[in-house]
Amino acid sequence: MSDDILYDKQHIDFLEDIWGDGFLSPGGADEVGRVLTGVDVAGKHVLDIGSGSGACAVLLARDYGAVKVTGIDVEDPVCDAARARIAREGVSDKVEIVKVSPGPFPFGDDTFDLVFSKDSIIHIPDKTALTADAFRVLRPGGRLAMSDWLISHDHAPSPEMADYIAEEGLDFAMASPTAYAAAMEAAGFTDVELVNRNPWYSGVARDELAWLTGAERDRLSDRHGRDFIDHQIAIWSKLVGVLESGEHCPHHIRGRKPA
C-alpha cells in the first residue's frame, strides 16, 4: 500500500468501528439526515463527493429515494469498499462509484439535482473552486447539502489546532464559516445556510475518547494494534481540546442554484 494513501484498510476498519459500518466520519445515518434538513432527495440524481466506503451513497438511494447516486473518491481502498457495500445492499442499479483525480469534477454542466458531501471537503484546499464546480454541475434549482470540518477564524491555526492537525497526519485544509459563505455566494448560490455543529460534536467527541480509553481499549488494541490505538487516543485527546475551545467547528452547509 502506498504511503500516500490516507484511508487504507486499517483506517477504514477503525473508523467504521467507532462511527458505524460504512461511515468514515461521525454521526452515522442520523447525521446524514440532519445534513439533508429541508432537502428533497426523492427522484433526484445525486453527486456524493468523497463517498468513502459507501454508506451515505447507499442511504441516499435506499432510504431517501434518489433515482441515481454517483459517488466519487480519489483512493482505491475506499472505492473498492464502497463498491462491495453497494453490491451487498443490492443497489448497484442506482449507485455507481467513480474514482477521480483531484481537480474539477469530470461531469458536464447541469448534470445533478443535488450535490452532497459528508465531511470530505476538508481534503480539498480551494473551497472557492470547489463550490464553483459544484454550482456548475448542478441543474438550475438544484441543491447543495454537505457537512465539513471548519476552523472558526481566518488566521493561522492556534498552536493547539496546529498540534491536532499534525497529530491527525491528514491533508486537512480547513476554511472558516466566513470563507465558506463567501465562496458559496461568489459561486452564485442563494439561500446559503451554515449551521455550527460544534456544540453537538464536542459532546460526542468526549464520549468517543472515553470509549477509546475505557473498557473497549484492549479489544480495539487487539483488533487494530496497540500502537495504532494509542495514536488514535492521542488524536482524540487533542481533538477534544480544539472542539471545546470552539476553534474547531464542524458545520452543515446548504445552498441553492437559482432556477
Side-chain angles (χ1 to χ4, degrees), residues 125 127 148-154 173-180 249:
K127 313 303 183 189
D148 200 18
W149 297 53
L150 277 64
I151 188 169
S152 63
H153 55 78
D154 293 308
M174 289 185 178
S176 71
T178 300
Y180 249 118
C249 52

Side-chain angles (χ1 to χ4, degrees), residues 71-143:
I72 60 172
D73 219 307
V74 298
E75 295 183 346
D76 284 319
V78 288
C79 289
D80 292 344
R83 292 184 185 114
R85 180 174 309 282
I86 289 158
R88 290 196 304 271
E89 295 289 343
V91 292
S92 297
D93 59 329
K94 293 184 177 181
V95 184
E96 65 174 347
I97 300 296
V98 180
K99 184 187 175 187
V100 300
S101 299
F105 302 135
F107 307 107
D109 298 354
D110 305 337
T111 298
F112 301 96
D113 303 297
L114 169 65
V115 172
F116 171 88
S117 183
K118 187 175 187 297
D119 306 323
S120 66
I121 307 300
I122 192 169
H123 299 296
I124 301 175
D126 191 338
K127 313 303 183 189
T128 299
L130 176 280
T131 50
D133 211 28
F135 188 89
R136 177 186 66 81
V137 301
L138 276 171
R139 296 186 177 110
R143 298 291 303 273

